Amino acid sequence: MKLIDLFGGGGLASWGFQNLGIEALAAVDISPAACSAYQANFPNSAVFQDKVSNSISRLCAIAPLDCLLHLSPPCQSFSAAANINRKKVRPSIASEIDASIELIRQIKPLLISLEEVPRFSKSAEAEKLRLVLWKLGY
């Protein structure tokens, strides 16, 4: 099985999946530092320094039928330690969750995993994601 890691950061989730025998195929993150770290940790993986919304076609082109899709949505605006105006950040998170849903619809991954952040799990974005996944049979 191969892994596509959305909002992959430096690859901690991918590292855990690798220890289970799942190969890191690709990752997406907007942070240059995170992408550099991910590429160093997984030199054979495709790394897209971009938004998920801008990476859908590239991911669709390489996604195998039996892939695992992992999402670690940006949690800064949901973190208890956040010092930012949540209303300014959430629209970009919402659009990236929408893009993740579109990717799921297109590649139909065998498995989906989601990093859990307590405040995110109670958000409208998380509820929308859960509803769509349920409707798609996950």
Side-chain angles (χ1 to χ4, degrees), residues 45-90:
S45 297
V47 180
F48 304 114
Q49 183 188 328
D50 211 337
K51 293 180 175 184
V52 173
S53 55
N54 296 332
S55 305
I56 292 174
S57 62
R58 291 179 283 178
L59 293 168
C60 287
I62 62 172
L65 293 176
D66 66 343
C67 78
L68 164 62
L69 182 67
H70 176 73
L71 292 87
S72 297
C75 60
Q76 292 88 343
S77 67
F78 300 99
S79 170
N83 283 329
I84 56 177
N85 182 337
R86 287 170 171 47
K87 290 182 181 180
K88 288 183 180 177
V89 174
R90 279 206 174 160

Side-chain angles (χ1 to χ4, degrees), residues 86-130:
R86 287 170 171 47
K87 290 182 181 180
K88 288 183 180 177
V89 174
R90 279 206 174 160
S92 65
I93 293 170
S95 66
E96 288 300 282
I97 295 297
D98 287 345
S100 300
I101 290 169
E102 181 56 30
L103 179 66
I104 291 166
R105 285 187 172 125
Q106 289 191 36
I107 67 172
K108 299 174 179 72
L110 182 62
L111 297 170
I112 299 170
S113 67
L114 174 65
E115 179 182 346
E116 193 62 39
V117 174
R119 289 185 181 181
F120 174 76
S121 68
K122 297 173 185 171
S123 71
E125 294 88 350
E127 183 59 30
K128 180 178 184 177
L129 180 59
R130 279 192 293 271

Side-chain angles (χ1 to χ4, degrees), residues 18-60:
Q18 179 179 284
N19 285 333
L20 295 172
I22 298 169
E23 179 186 345
L25 175 68
V28 178
D29 202 288
I30 60 170
S31 165
C35 288
S36 179
Y38 195 100
Q39 194 69 76
N41 291 327
F42 301 94
N44 297 324
S45 297
V47 180
F48 304 114
Q49 183 188 328
D50 211 337
K51 293 180 175 184
V52 173
S53 55
N54 296 332
S55 305
I56 292 174
S57 62
R58 291 179 283 178
L59 293 168
C60 287

